[in-house]
Amino acid sequence: MLGELGKQMARLFGGRFSLTNLLPVTVLAALVSLLVVAGAYTDHPTDIVTVVHKLLPVQTSLVVIGIVLAGVLLRPFQVALVQFLEGYWRTRALTLLNEVATEQHRRRQHSAKIVLDFQQADPEGGTFDAVVEQAQRRWRLDRAARRADEVYRRYPANGDLMPTHIGNVLRAGEHAAGNRYGLQLNAITERLWPSLSPTISGSISRNLETIDTMCALCVALTATTAATLPVLWHPSGWSWVPLFTALTAAVAYRAALRAASGHARLLAAAVDLHRFDMLAALHLPLPRSISEEIPFNEALSLFFAETTGLRPHYFRGMVVPYKHPSAPASNPDKSA
């Protein structure tokens, strides 16, 4: 029934409707509505089997339609919640929390850097027990270094940290993708995107949709856990709901982190394969070496990031001749 309703709603919204996009808010509305209908917040709750038997097919259809409409109405708020989970806290009330959370991540990055920079002493000879102890110590240090390297890679190298874990993973991927070539990805994205191949652009779009859905699902399930928390201590058969939503929220967040790590690799591949296509589309000459490319890309990124209307010659390395494609030779007019 839900699938057929989804198809009908898809036709109604011109093919742009997707139950995947509405899944997070739909789950929130469905679980809270189910608890309200079952009377889980009262002293005499009804078990789920009784609730299902009481609902007629027509009532069930109306409930499903209401839940989907609630998902449509709450969709704009879902985007804001995803941005909140990524760490874009622009309100004045969250300024202090932003600084505290960012400082915590800065300390984690610094601690990981200290472990990575630690120089191990060369093993010394001695008794058998001393050699075994040295080998165990080296193994522990190597394991700590591997863990520190994993932690350090999750943060942007330029120190522009975000207050959340997933926000730092995404920003680190954006920074690493273009920094190797002197490019600021946030400044060239709109120019690079039209030059991407369908394979790369499709993979990036699908991955971003996965991150968006998992983040929104995590926020929706966390909100559901808070809304259903009173049921946890209620002597009824609904105490499993907040436990289930809390566990599912944690799984959704881990899935979003994994998708964010994959997004970093896709961005790097896009820059590696199509940065020259972007220059060709801009009618700019292609660099002959990496040493020539990096300073030019730095100046180009500054020019694209500038919004005050400064002309290209204000940026070092931007005074270059255009490289226009050769025009096809025109056929002589034989009718003359």
Side-chain angles (χ1 to χ4, degrees):
M1 180 182 296
L2 186 59
E4 292 298 325
L5 285 173
K7 293 179 181 178
Q8 295 298 327
M9 296 292 285
R11 298 190 187 98
L12 178 63
F13 285 89
R16 297 179 64 87
F17 182 80
S18 173
L19 285 181
T20 302
N21 294 334
L22 297 175
L23 178 63
V25 290
T26 302
V27 169
L28 172 62
L31 289 177
V32 174
S33 300
L34 182 62
L35 292 177
V36 172
V37 171
Y41 295 100
T42 65
D43 294 333
H44 304 286
T46 307
D47 60 272
I48 187 171
V49 177
T50 306
V51 172
V52 172
H53 281 298
K54 283 184 177 180
L55 290 176
L56 298 176
V58 176
Q59 293 175 327
T60 305
S61 301
L62 293 176
V63 170
V64 172
I65 292 175
I67 291 173
V68 173
L69 289 178
V72 173
L73 295 175
L74 293 175
R75 172 62 179 171
F77 299 97
Q78 176 178 318
V79 177
L81 290 176
V82 171
Q83 293 179 346
F84 178 84
L85 189 62
E86 292 179 2
Y88 293 96
W89 303 344
R90 300 183 178 91
T91 59
R92 183 177 300 178
L94 295 176
T95 301
L96 179 60
L97 181 60
N98 189 348
E99 294 178 356
V100 172
T102 303
E103 180 62 25
Q104 183 180 10
H105 286 288
R106 184 175 291 108
R107 293 186 179 186
R108 289 178 181 175
Q109 183 187 29
H110 183 65
S111 299
K113 187 67 167 59
I114 292 176
V115 175
L116 289 175
D117 293 339
F118 180 76
Q119 299 293 332
Q120 300 184 28
D122 295 333
E124 300 177 356
T127 62
F128 177 78
D129 293 338
V131 172
V132 171
E133 183 179 355
Q134 292 171 7
Q136 292 177 345
R137 182 172 180 270
R138 176 175 291 275
W139 178 79
R140 288 193 296 268
L141 291 175
D142 290 340
R143 185 178 62 174
R146 288 193 298 269
R147 291 180 178 177
D149 183 65
E150 293 178 359
V151 172
Y152 189 77
R153 290 177 180 270
R154 297 172 185 171
Y155 294 102
N158 62 349
D160 188 14
L161 301 182
M162 299 289 289
T164 63
H165 191 180
I166 191 169
N168 283 309
V169 172
L170 290 172
R171 178 159 291 185
E174 295 172 358
H175 179 266
N179 185 60
R180 294 174 297 172
Y181 305 106
L183 291 169
Q184 297 179 23
L185 194 61
N186 58 348
I188 67 165
T189 299
E190 291 79 5
R191 285 88 176 178
L192 179 66
W193 189 264
S195 302
L196 299 183
S197 64
T199 302
I200 294 292
S201 61
S203 298
I204 292 177
S205 298
R206 288 189 296 269
N207 200 68
L208 284 175
E209 184 177 355
T210 300
I211 296 173
D212 178 77
T213 302
M214 290 298 103
C215 287
L217 187 61
C218 176
V219 174
L221 288 169
T222 302
T224 306
T225 302
T228 60
L229 203 58
V231 183
L232 183 63
W233 292 278
H234 198 283
S236 65
W238 296 97
S239 58
W240 59 270
V241 175
L243 299 177
F244 171 77
T245 54
L247 178 61
T248 311
V251 173
Y253 189 75
R254 296 296 300 178
L257 283 175
R258 183 174 293 272
S261 299
H263 184 63
R265 293 191 295 270
L266 288 174
L267 289 180
V271 176
D272 291 340
L273 298 175
H274 298 288
R275 68 187 190 280
F276 293 144
D277 297 330
M278 178 189 69
L279 295 179
L282 293 169
H283 291 206
L284 295 174
L286 301 182
R288 293 170 296 182
S289 64
I290 190 69
S291 59
E292 181 180 324
E293 178 185 9
I294 290 178
F296 177 76
N297 285 343
E298 291 175 349
L300 185 66
S301 298
L302 289 175
F303 172 62
F304 286 149
E306 184 59 53
T307 58
T308 58
L310 293 180
R311 295 184 178 181
H313 65 266
Y314 283 95
F315 300 94
R316 182 174 58 85
M318 284 295 294
V319 182
V320 294
Y322 285 120
K323 182 69 175 180
H324 298 299
S326 301
S330 58
N331 294 327
D333 187 3
K334 297 182 179 180
S335 62

